[in-house]
Amino acid sequence: MMRRTTEVTMGDIARMAGVSESTVSRALAGSSLVAAKTRQRISEIARNANFSINEQARNLALKQTRTIEVIFPIERGTLQQVSDPFFVDMLAVLTDELGKHGYDVLMSRSPPWDEDRPGCAFLGARADGVIFVGQGRHRSDIRDFARKHGKVVVWGAVSPGDDYCVVGSDNVGGARMATTHMLQLGRKRIAFLGDTDLPEMRQRFEGYCDALKAHDLPIDESLVIHTPFDIEKAREVSQPFVELFPRFDGIFACSDMIAIAAIANLRQAGIKVPEDVSVVGFDDIPSSAHVSPSITTVHQRIHRAGMLMVERLMGILEGGAPEPVVIETELIVRQSCGAH
Amino acid sequence: MMRRTTEVTMGDIARMAGVSESTVSRALAGSSLVAAKTRQRISEIARNANFSINEQARNLALKQTRTIEVIFPIERGTLQQVSDPFFVDMLAVLTDELGKHGYDVLMSRSPPWDEDRPGCAFLGARADGVIFVGQGRHRSDIRDFARKHGKVVVWGAVSPGDDYCVVGSDNVGGARMATTHMLQLGRKRIAFLGDTDLPEMRQRFEGYCDALKAHDLPIDESLVIHTPFDIEKAREVSQPFVELFPRFDGIFACSDMIAIAAIANLRQAGIKVPEDVSVVGFDDIPSSAHVSPSITTVHQRIHRAGMLMVERLMGILEGGAPEPVVIETELIVRQSCGAH
DNA sequence: TTGTACGCGTTATCAA
DNA sequence: TTGATAACGCGTACAA
């Protein structure tokens, strides 16, 4: 992985082995053009000389990078707050899956469109493709970028009009299940906690509305609370909301983090979950099974998602134009809804 | 970031501007050797032609990569379980800080020593330096690697004998504070939950022992429970442990995740936290403030840690040999210990 | 089966 | 102030 201070090159190996560089190149690539015996000898010498190929030079010659840029459009400065375990899991899957295809992962937090690189103001060719993990507030930027550069796969809300490849959970269906579940438990006045400016959350809001409509219930705007993703702020925002009790008897939270924050505030106000209020979250982060009360939530199939994204990106790199995918979600019933 | 299908090169720009490639190169690098007027004109042309420099070729010529490899020695296949928010935060800080110095981050889960790369079996020179986020069970591997390649900074347990640069929290001090705190609250029989095979956890165990000794209390081996990091397994392991109650009245958990798992098991068994048992965790993950009861824990200064690691790595790249750092920890008192 | 010669896109050295 | 020319380390037609 690392450059040694005194780099040994193919030329060195060639000299040691008394052959040409080309032969070394072929031998190390496992080409059948080179005699098995020669190949073995060269491999041996290379190993002993502690030779490691210079990927940079190799890639330059091959006109490839064997690298995929993974971009998490996470707001800057929100350390200790964006800590959604979702990201680690996704990153782990992507790293593994891309690795299987021989690709490295280049991390990025600054999207390609803010061109404030040090030195020169131009974009560099550092990756063969890009994966955006989340569209956030940058939907149109991403669309422009995708149009321009092609090799892009995006995690997020899948919409009919997308002209680039998006992979995402069935947010609408998941939210509908969650809300319907509480309605079936007899809850009537269900609040929505989330940030409807984000497309993914917008879809969850739609599912929430669907469920209410299907039960002939009106949407009470005063129970739709614009709650940020970040757990600290979520707690702040849901603080005054709690005082609306008993105007609500159920909460659909757009994420488990928000659910955890809301429950903390409810308990502090002496309101019992799930006795007084049912709560359902979204994501199924590990903690959600282990906090008390454990959280009923909508499970996102992250592993499958990561695999599909990589599979699709590979398809694009091979010249295909894979279809977007909506991944089904699943309701995990635990304690916070009061079903048990 | 991405390679365009038809790449425009410096040669193209040179031709358009009617100058040589060298001049273009200098102009774009902002060299004062080139006439201000020429430089302006070339910049203009490059911008219009939508030119982006090929970092690969540039780096090859410069004999650098402007990339740091960040390795998370996370066990494979432990998806949905390693989801420690700690990692996201650390990754975010590292990405930002390295970015400030003009470095990209290359993610990795497979350490350099398992040489099972596809294609050829040799390591590639892909990065100017390596940051290991955690030593895990690979301490000797890391030491070998560091000796061989030099440009390495490691996050983890700082020990006197280290011959490479380690940055880590004051695990001993943190654990001592945590344990002492419970002792001062009148707890006498404090259990330890953690994996003492990992050097970081080993240090926390030492701090735990220190505190007990300082209070003339013996170390009850039956209350030292080998608990894995992973929250699912932590819950399994701490299940039978709970039955030992009332042989213990306090728990020092090596991580907040373990603390959360243990509290869930205690509650399920009808044991109250903090009334019956005090619990203190480690890490101060965001959830720990928002679960109920909120968790008293030892805060790790992740932001500072990331900054220091990058600062030190930069020092090494410039030929220095920076000292290891131990970062002080802080006890955050919340509900689970029973102080309030 | 192996070697020669050139190209990948950029930077650096030396002249001019 | 600018322009040839030679690296940088490797892959690959083409020739041998």
Side-chain angles (χ1 to χ4, degrees), chain B residues 176-186 280 296 331 333 337-339:
Chain B
R176 196 190 298 121
M177 276 193 294
T179 311
T180 303
H181 180 69
M182 285 188 277
L183 293 171
Q184 287 172 344
L185 291 172
V280 178
T296 295
L331 185 70
V333 178
C337 60

Side-chain angles (χ1 to χ4, degrees), chain A residues 111 113 132 137-147 164:
Chain A
W113 45 83
F132 288 94
R137 313 184 189 287
H138 308 284
R139 210 166 183 188
S140 66
D141 293 316
I142 293 179
R143 186 172 51 229
D144 292 346
F145 184 81
R147 279 207 186 117
Y164 51 92

Side-chain angles (χ1 to χ4, degrees), chain A residues 1-4 28 46-47 50-53 55-57 59-60 63-65 69 76 79-80 83 85 87-89 91-93 95-96 102 104-107 109 112 117-118 122-130 145 148-149 151 231-232 235 260 264 267 284 286 289-292 299 303, chain B residues 1-4 28 46 50-53 55-57 59-60 63-65 69 76 79-80 83 85 87-89 91-93 95-96 102 104-107 109 112 117-118 120 122-130 145 148-149 151 231-232 235 260 264 267 284 286 289-292 299 303:
Chain A
M1 318 279 140
M2 276 230 23
R3 148 159 305 130
R4 282 167 211 70
L28 263 35
R47 192 179 312 279
N50 207 0
F51 168 76
S52 66
I53 211 166
E55 306 263 5
Q56 256 182 304
N59 287 335
L60 178 59
K63 299 188 113 191
Q64 61 167 22
T65 65
E69 184 159 1
R76 271 170 192 281
L79 177 71
Q80 268 290 65
S83 319
F87 287 108
V88 217
D89 286 340
L91 185 60
V93 180
T95 307
D96 283 352
D104 284 329
V105 171
L106 195 62
M107 273 293 299
R109 293 186 71 195
R117 306 277 226 87
F122 304 100
L123 298 175
R126 325 183 280 177
D128 295 337
V130 174
F145 184 81
K148 204 163 162 187
H149 299 105
K151 322 293 173 68
I231 192 168
E232 301 290 342
R235 185 125 188 218
I260 289 175
R267 289 182 83 109
D284 193 22
H290 303 288
V291 293
S292 175
H299 177 76
H303 197 172
Chain B
M1 317 277 143
M2 279 231 21
R3 148 160 303 129
R4 282 168 209 70
L28 263 36
N50 207 3
F51 169 77
S52 67
I53 211 166
E55 305 262 8
Q56 256 182 305
N59 287 335
L60 178 59
K63 299 189 111 187
Q64 61 168 22
T65 65
E69 184 160 2
R76 271 172 191 279
L79 179 71
Q80 269 290 65
S83 317
F87 287 108
V88 217
D89 286 339
L91 185 60
V93 181
T95 307
D96 283 352
D104 285 328
V105 171
L106 195 63
M107 273 292 300
R109 293 186 70 196
R117 306 278 226 82
C120 76
F122 305 99
L123 299 175
R126 326 184 281 177
D128 295 337
V130 175
F145 184 82
K148 204 163 159 188
H149 299 105
K151 322 293 173 72
I231 191 166
E232 302 288 342
R235 185 126 188 217
I260 289 176
R267 290 181 83 108
D284 192 24
H290 303 289
V291 294
S292 174
H299 176 76
H303 197 170

Side-chain angles (χ1 to χ4, degrees), chain B residues 53-311:
Chain B
I53 211 166
N54 184 324
E55 305 262 8
Q56 256 182 305
R58 177 167 199 274
N59 287 335
L60 178 59
L62 254 34
K63 299 189 111 187
Q64 61 168 22
T65 65
R66 280 276 137 185
T67 296
I68 300 297
E69 184 160 2
V70 175
I71 300 178
F72 288 80
I74 290 173
E75 323 280 330
R76 271 172 191 279
T78 52
L79 179 71
Q80 269 290 65
Q81 295 166 352
V82 292
S83 317
D84 194 319
F86 168 83
F87 287 108
V88 217
D89 286 339
M90 183 59 99
L91 185 60
V93 181
L94 291 178
T95 307
D96 283 352
E97 290 299 315
L98 288 169
K100 284 182 196 164
H101 291 271
Y103 283 86
D104 285 328
V105 171
L106 195 63
M107 273 292 300
S108 198
R109 293 186 70 196
S110 61
W113 45 84
D114 46 295
E115 317 197 351
D116 56 348
R117 306 278 226 82
C120 76
F122 305 99
L123 299 175
R126 326 184 281 177
D128 295 337
V130 175
I131 293 178
F132 288 93
V133 185
Q135 308 189 89
R137 312 185 191 287
H138 307 285
R139 211 166 183 189
S140 66
D141 292 318
I142 292 179
R143 186 173 48 228
D144 291 348
F145 184 82
R147 279 206 186 120
K148 204 163 159 188
H149 299 105
K151 322 293 173 72
V152 173
V153 172
V154 178
W155 167 257
V158 179
S159 312
D162 295 332
D163 49 357
Y164 49 94
C165 184
V166 183
V167 176
S169 286
D170 180 8
N171 291 301
V172 180
R176 196 190 298 121
M177 276 193 294
T179 311
T180 303
H181 180 69
M182 285 188 277
L183 293 171
Q184 287 172 344
L185 291 172
R187 301 304 185 177
K188 300 283 183 203
R189 300 175 309 281
I190 298 176
F192 176 93
L193 265 54
D195 181 352
T196 50
D197 289 348
L198 302 171
E200 294 84 354
M201 307 302 143
R202 186 83 212 168
Q203 293 189 330
R204 293 176 197 175
F205 181 64
E206 279 174 36
Y208 159 84
C209 294
D210 284 0
L212 291 184
K213 277 180 205 149
H215 281 70
D216 290 320
L217 289 169
I219 287 141
D220 182 347
E221 290 292 344
S222 67
L223 292 182
V224 176
I225 315 292
H226 184 94
T227 316
F229 206 51
D230 161 0
I231 191 166
E232 302 288 342
K233 290 191 193 127
R235 185 126 188 217
E236 275 175 44
V237 168
S238 62
Q239 183 67 59
F241 155 74
V242 163
E243 292 168 16
L244 295 178
F245 185 82
R247 287 210 18 220
F248 59 90
D249 56 10
I251 295 176
F252 169 60
C254 256
S255 79
D256 290 341
M257 297 292 260
I258 295 178
I260 289 176
I263 291 175
N265 282 334
L266 289 169
R267 290 181 83 108
Q268 199 166 297
I271 303 168
K272 285 179 189 161
V273 177
E275 292 80 355
D276 302 327
V277 175
S278 289
V279 177
V280 178
F282 209 107
D283 283 348
D284 192 24
I285 65 175
S287 298
S288 62
H290 303 289
V291 294
S292 174
S294 59
I295 297 175
T296 295
T297 187
V298 179
H299 176 76
Q300 299 206 71
R301 305 180 60 188
I302 300 179
H303 197 170
R304 182 167 164 71
M307 286 183 56
L308 285 175
M309 290 176 73
V310 171
E311 182 191 296

